[in-house]
Amino acid sequence: MRRVGLRTGIAVLALAAVASGCAQGTTGPGAHGATGANGTRPTPGGQSPQGQAAGAKHTYAARMRAEYAARAAAARRWGLKKVPLTPPAPPATKPAITTREGFEVEDHEELGLPPVFTTVPTKDKVVFLTIDDGAEKDPAFLRMMRELKIPYTAFLSDYLVKEDYGYFKKMQDAGVALNNHTLHHPYLPDLSYGRQKREICGMQDVIEKQYGKRPELFRPPFGNYNRDTLRAAKSCGVKYAPLWSEEVFADHWDYREWDRDLHPGDIVLSHFRGDSDWKGTMPDMIRRFMNMVTQKGYAVARLEDYL
């Protein structure tokens, strides 16, 4: 009788173990070698790949909601009418940048001179904000751009920025590319090749010394240039010479094109100016800029991401 009872007890324990293993394999993390109802093995941490994917999606969605909420709060704080749109990811294949028709100089293509352009060829509904010279150094502008996460590109002239190199270092630390707008902002076509080279290459040297990187973008003062300008720029490492399609001020816009409208890939110009030169401040200019581009369904993208 004792042997029968012992065998019966062992059988009951075995059945219980099998049942326990099946239950763990079908309803949650189980013993080693168990699989879920859909045939997938739990990970060593105990969560199935499907569970991990769902968790990752949940985390991503939560992060996106938090980022949008922060941007919406910043938009309200800075007086924007709408929350700025988020630009698409930078293109995996960069568009081919060529000189705009009518903006060429003699032997432009043959000499491999930097292309001069006003718009980046893209179907993305984005525009690019560029800001010139460096006269105004408004701390509120830096806070506004950082909180709103609006990308922009700066073109600097040394005679203005040397008053406070640190202001533009803060800009660079926030991810802004600092580029060349000459040492003294002269009308370049009036200068010899040698003097143009000193203005352009000298500013390359300043930016490299102060900010650690030699720029690849150069914008001629007033948008005026000749063949010598582009030859000099190429000689000291410049690869692109972007101009602009529109210009935004604190109180109005100016347009290059006849239709007076924004287009995908347009480059927008503004300046480091305050209410001593404008009818408003730099934050006023950004409000006007952002209200227009957002209302028209555009996001602001980083110019260098498309070059």
Side-chain angles (χ1 to χ4, degrees), residues 3-17:
R3 291 178 181 175
V4 173
L6 182 60
R7 292 193 191 100
T8 303
I10 292 171
V12 170
L13 288 171
L15 287 170

Side-chain angles (χ1 to χ4, degrees), residues 265-284:
D266 275 0
I267 299 170
V268 181
L269 164 67
S270 193
H271 288 82
F272 291 97
R273 292 284 188 271
D275 52 14
S276 60
D277 299 292
W278 280 349
K279 296 178 181 178
T281 63
M282 289 198 71
D284 291 334

Side-chain angles (χ1 to χ4, degrees), residues 3 12 57 91 108 143 157 245 250 276 306:
R3 291 178 181 175
V12 170
K57 289 180 181 178
H108 200 136
R143 291 196 303 272
S157 290
S245 289
S276 60
Y306 283 72

Side-chain angles (χ1 to χ4, degrees), residues 235-282:
S235 76
C236 47
V238 169
K239 293 185 178 179
Y240 302 98
L243 298 184
W244 61 90
S245 289
E246 294 88 24
E247 184 172 2
V248 60
F249 300 83
D251 62 335
H252 71 281
W253 284 72
D254 281 343
Y255 299 86
R256 186 184 295 273
E257 309 301 336
W258 64 270
D259 61 358
R260 298 180 61 80
D261 202 1
L262 297 177
H263 314 88
D266 275 0
I267 299 170
V268 181
L269 164 67
S270 193
H271 288 82
F272 291 97
R273 292 284 188 271
D275 52 14
S276 60
D277 299 292
W278 280 349
K279 296 178 181 178
T281 63
M282 289 198 71

Side-chain angles (χ1 to χ4, degrees), residues 23 78 133 170-171 216 296:
W78 289 102
D133 62 49
K170 293 176 184 176
M171 200 175 288
E216 294 186 347
K296 288 182 172 289

